[in-house]
Amino acid sequence: PDMANSKYEYVKMFEKHTKLLPLTYIVVRIDGRGFHKLSQKYGFRKPNDVRALELMNASAIAVMKELPDICMSYGISDEYSFIFEKPTELFERRESKLITTVVSTFTAHYVHAWSDYFPNVTLTQPLPSFDGRAIEYPTKEALRDYMSWRQVDCHVNNLFNTAFWALVQRGCLNETQAEEALKGTNSSDKHEILFSRFSINYNNEPESFRKGTVIYRSDEDVQTFQVGQPAKADLQKPSKMQCEKDRKRKIKPRIVIDHIDIIKNGFWESKPWLLS
């Protein structure tokens, strides 16, 4: 066996381990694969299916419970962004390990919990699946801009979908006609269509539809944030013992789910520990 191992173990040289840059915020974003067809197959309600959104949220919470280094996540439609704490050394910051662990954990919980949210709908092949990517952001400002971009995308897409499906479901247009009717319209135009034709005030639509879902750890038992902490402290790589202590500490805080504006400063100023 020893000779066999020494003879063949050279193949390990072909393995590639890409480590993400140190002291950057790592975002792993997962996206549903072929969810347009999947939503049609299982009859998702349009423009938003609360069951499907809550299933996504439950799967994201499960990921955060299993991976304490994730400080928060943000979800819209069939995508979720998971933000790892800046100093994380999980899997030695290996890109492939981080992505595959998040994607596989999310997918496993999504399929497992399906019947809780769709009790009368049986999953059949092809089963739901997700892909993922990792992005590195060097500063809080860059990370916040990323989060703002996703929430703006949520608003733009949901406003369009709300107007589109109102035209189809209540305006007696087919999908091609509805798309043509909205071509070239801006945000104000869509608001006006919804209100004047269907008496829908878009601003009264559920915040979970308009703003997406943010999930974060509360500040209970969190002791890492210190006002005025020297900047050079951020450059110190934590020891393995400290990483393990932090891991156990981060399991304790309860996980909070909210639908709130994350573009303005208020959210971040009220929760300074998230990006500390």
Side-chain angles (χ1 to χ4, degrees):
D2 291 339
M3 291 181 63
N5 288 337
S6 63
K7 179 180 179 180
Y8 297 115
E9 66 180 359
Y10 79 93
V11 297
K12 293 167 65 176
M13 293 189 301
F14 297 99
E15 295 180 9
K16 181 181 179 181
H17 301 297
T18 303
K19 289 189 177 183
L20 298 175
L21 292 172
L23 298 174
T24 57
Y25 295 102
I26 298 172
V27 177
V28 174
R29 186 170 77 242
I30 63 100
D31 289 276
R33 296 181 63 246
F35 261 58
H36 179 70
K37 289 183 178 179
L38 183 139
S39 67
Q40 292 177 327
K41 175 181 177 181
Y42 294 108
F44 283 14
R45 297 161 187 157
K46 304 294 184 179
N48 293 288
D49 193 316
V50 174
R51 301 168 300 172
L53 293 175
E54 289 183 348
L55 174 56
M56 290 287 292
N57 296 340
S59 304
I61 290 172
V63 171
M64 290 184 65
K65 286 181 177 178
E66 292 198 26
L67 300 175
D69 281 29
I70 296 173
C71 60
M72 65 180 298
S73 59
Y74 177 73
I76 56 175
S77 186
D78 64 339
E79 77 165 52
Y80 244 99
S81 297
F82 295 92
I83 295 87
F84 286 82
E85 293 183 335
K86 197 172 187 179
T88 183
E89 287 296 323
L90 184 64
F91 303 132
E92 298 179 329
R93 300 178 73 92
R94 287 162 57 181
E95 182 178 25
S96 60
K97 290 278 285 186
L98 290 167
I99 295 174
T100 55
T101 299
V102 170
V103 170
S104 61
T105 304
F106 189 96
T107 304
H109 283 283
Y110 187 94
V111 173
H112 178 72
W114 173 272
S115 60
D116 294 337
Y117 297 89
F118 295 88
N120 301 316
V121 182
T122 303
L123 277 177
T124 58
Q125 294 189 6
L127 296 173
S129 61
F130 297 82
D131 59 34
R133 71 200 71 187
I135 316 106
E136 303 153 283
Y137 293 101
T139 64
K140 295 178 183 179
E141 292 73 22
L143 178 63
R144 281 192 55 182
D145 284 346
Y146 168 81
M147 300 292 280
S148 298
W149 170 53
R150 299 320 305 139
Q151 189 162 65
V152 168
D153 208 44
C154 173
H155 163 69
V156 170
N157 290 336
N158 189 67
L159 177 58
F160 177 88
N161 289 334
T162 302
F164 177 87
W165 287 106
L167 289 169
V168 172
Q169 295 168 349
R170 299 170 60 180
C172 300
L173 300 184
N174 61 37
E175 293 185 16
T176 301
Q177 291 169 332
E179 192 167 346
E180 186 64 29
L182 292 174
K183 187 178 294 184
T185 58
N186 58 28
S187 178
S188 297
D189 296 331
K190 295 181 181 71
H191 277 269
E192 180 61 25
I193 289 172
L194 287 169
F195 190 75
S196 63
R197 296 185 59 177
F198 308 107
S199 299
I200 296 175
N201 184 337
Y202 180 75
N203 293 324
N204 291 336
E205 290 292 288
E207 290 189 324
S208 58
F209 299 165
R210 294 184 291 115
K211 297 179 180 179
T213 300
V214 59
I215 306 174
Y216 60 90
R217 302 184 192 279
S218 74
D219 62 344
E220 297 172 8
D221 300 323
V222 176
Q223 306 294 330
T224 55
F225 178 75
Q226 298 176 13
V227 177
Q229 187 176 16
K232 70 176 184 178
D234 290 341
L235 301 178
Q236 297 175 356
K237 184 176 179 179
S239 65
K240 287 186 177 180
M241 183 178 294
Q242 183 61 45
C243 285
E244 180 61 18
K245 286 182 180 179
D246 286 345
R247 187 190 71 80
K248 292 179 179 179
R249 170 186 54 76
K250 286 178 287 190
I251 293 174
K252 294 180 182 179
R254 66 186 178 94
I255 292 176
V256 179
I257 183 169
D258 207 347
H259 315 287
I260 193 171
D261 189 326
I262 57 173
I263 298 175
K264 296 177 183 177
N265 292 330
F267 172 80
W268 304 99
E269 289 176 351
S270 66
K271 299 163 183 60
W273 64 88
L274 289 177
L275 301 184
S276 64

